[in-house]
Amino acid sequence: MSRHPIGDHALLSDRHSAALVTRDGSVEWLCFPRFDSPSVFGALLDDDAGHWSVRPVGPAEVERDYVAGSMVLRTTFHTATGTLELRDGLVLGEVGNPHRLGAHAPHRLVRSMRCTAGRVVVETCLRPRPEYGVVVPVLTGVHGGIRASGGPDRLLLSSPQWHTVHDGEAHACFALEAGQSTHFALQRVALGGPDPRPLGQREIADALADTIAGWRAWSALHQRYEGPWRSLVHHSGRVLQALSYQPTGAIVAAPTTSLPERVDGARNWDYRYSWVRDASFTMRALWVAACPDEAYEFFGFMTAAAAHTRPQHPLQIMFGIGGEHDLSERVLEHLSGWCDSRPVRVGNGAWIQPQLDVYGELLDAAFRLRAQLGELAPQTRTFLAGLADAAAGQWHRPDNGIWEIRGEPRHFLYSKLMCWVALDRAAAMADQLRAADRAPAWRASAEEIAEAVLTRGFNAEVGAFTQSFGSAELDASALMLPIVGFLPGTDGRVLATVDKIAERLTDERGLVYRYRADSGVDGLAGGEGAFVLCTFWLAHALALAGRTERAREVFDRAAGLVNDVGLLAEEIDPVSGAQLGNFPQAFSHIGLVNAAWAIHRAESGHRGNPAG
């Protein structure tokens, strides 16, 4: 099992795949060539699943940050004899057009180190274990590096340092004096492809410099938010961009699998796929944090991925990042899991669930981004208008809801709310969709849903909107009622719901749970941590209610959970305060961006819903 807390990791991305690096310089997660590919390094989930460590010999104090405006990690080790700066990055390749960041990524991980003071002895251990640790490759020393063969991939480590090779591991130990540097690059090619050639030191250093320049060019072109918490919002925008898959425009919910929502619990899921909901939320957050000129790529992906969805069935809630539909779930029995939290799953069984809220999320994102989308392609118009028709025809059905309850379908309030959003936004976009003749019917259905939400969703005995029709359970998703503009933030029923959630759904730190999982309402055993996104939702709802001072307090509480490099997991342990769940989590960074913007608007005198 990994000995590193989840929050001790930092993210690298080339917009194809991701790596996680620990504070002490170990790459413990890397999937090539896609986010959802089997891992090459998987020590995050089992000690025997591979890693690549670079660190000074002996004790060191560690500082970390990202090189300004980029997703290249800088780790500084202060030892008794000197200082070592390590820069890690997944190479972007040629970046001619920042809108196509990562289009030419060569699937290469670069680790560049420089002694900035004194003298430092460095040790490195390369231990690749492809196929989630199943394959122990044969490592062979070659001129200019180490070759690893075994399984469907071949790896080449380019290095000027001499390594010893034994039992599937390569070790090196060397000294650097002040001003000296050395650069490593690990590249991957598929079996049957041309042999990769060892790279020279200048070539590796230039590739990393070009990667920094590429991220900075993207940031300069896109990031224009100037409100409070500007640096956090901009960084979250880069994180969300890092979680997007460049070849298709898909967006992953997180780059990891099976990091648990509670240690020793069974709530361990694979998040390396593109949820319609999460991706739509991401596009709306990028509208704030990064002006997403690439919005058409996402809607092009969704239109293509869902093209074969049967019209009489609900829209599939998630797809593979290449548009795949079948995401069948299986357990990797040979992996022990992070902190022995089994099972380790790949695939996600939720792909077959009906979740009616996805219609609203997609159409709300399209409405928010209508200026960027401009003239819609005929197939996109047909797709979006069809979503509104599906919402009108299916809203009355039970489903599994936003939290993917693995139990009997219910009439979840949030699902009804988002069907209303779908119809409200479609009617507002009817001309752009070239469907003005359908707008009256969409508005009529929206009014019908609104009546049901108001009469059946509010529980007078509880004094709040509740999780599902007829339920007494609170659910943080009710905070979305004012956020999507269904009711004003100052409405008495909304204020009562906000107060009830703040009172009954928060832990001792004031962090918000999704719902009370220990009540058994979701059909799973055990509890979970407080949900970071829901805490940001509370701050957002408070801002819309005009309670800006309280909103800032809640926002600062949630934003204060970021690790030393500004990353957030999905949940927070109620006892230790440690980060839990897949990491970093798009939902959490989405919540940060949108809540910051809502507070900024409220303090600037905008009290209404900012959906447009």
Side-chain angles (χ1 to χ4, degrees), residues 280-289 292 295 299 360-374 421 425-426 428-429 432 480 482-485 540 590 593-595 597-598 601 608-612:
S280 300
F281 280 173
T282 299
M283 294 309 300
R284 297 205 305 272
L286 285 174
W287 184 83
V288 176
F299 283 97
E361 274 110 18
L362 265 172
L363 278 160
D364 192 39
F367 179 71
R368 173 71 63 82
L369 297 163
R370 60 194 182 278
Q372 283 88 352
L373 291 171
V421 168
R425 306 308 194 250
M429 292 180 66
Q432 192 172 4
M480 289 294 287
I483 292 172
V484 300
H540 197 151
I590 290 163
V593 169
N594 288 333
W597 187 56
R601 283 177 56 88
N609 165 53

Side-chain angles (χ1 to χ4, degrees), residues 48 63 65 115 151 154 162 169 244 249 271 286 288 304 375 389 423 428 436 504 554 599:
D48 292 330
E63 297 175 344
D65 61 1
C115 180
R154 285 179 298 165
W162 183 80
E169 297 183 9
S244 63
Y271 276 11
L286 285 174
V288 176
E375 179 70 20
D389 290 339
L423 293 157
R504 299 185 186 179
V554 175
I599 294 169

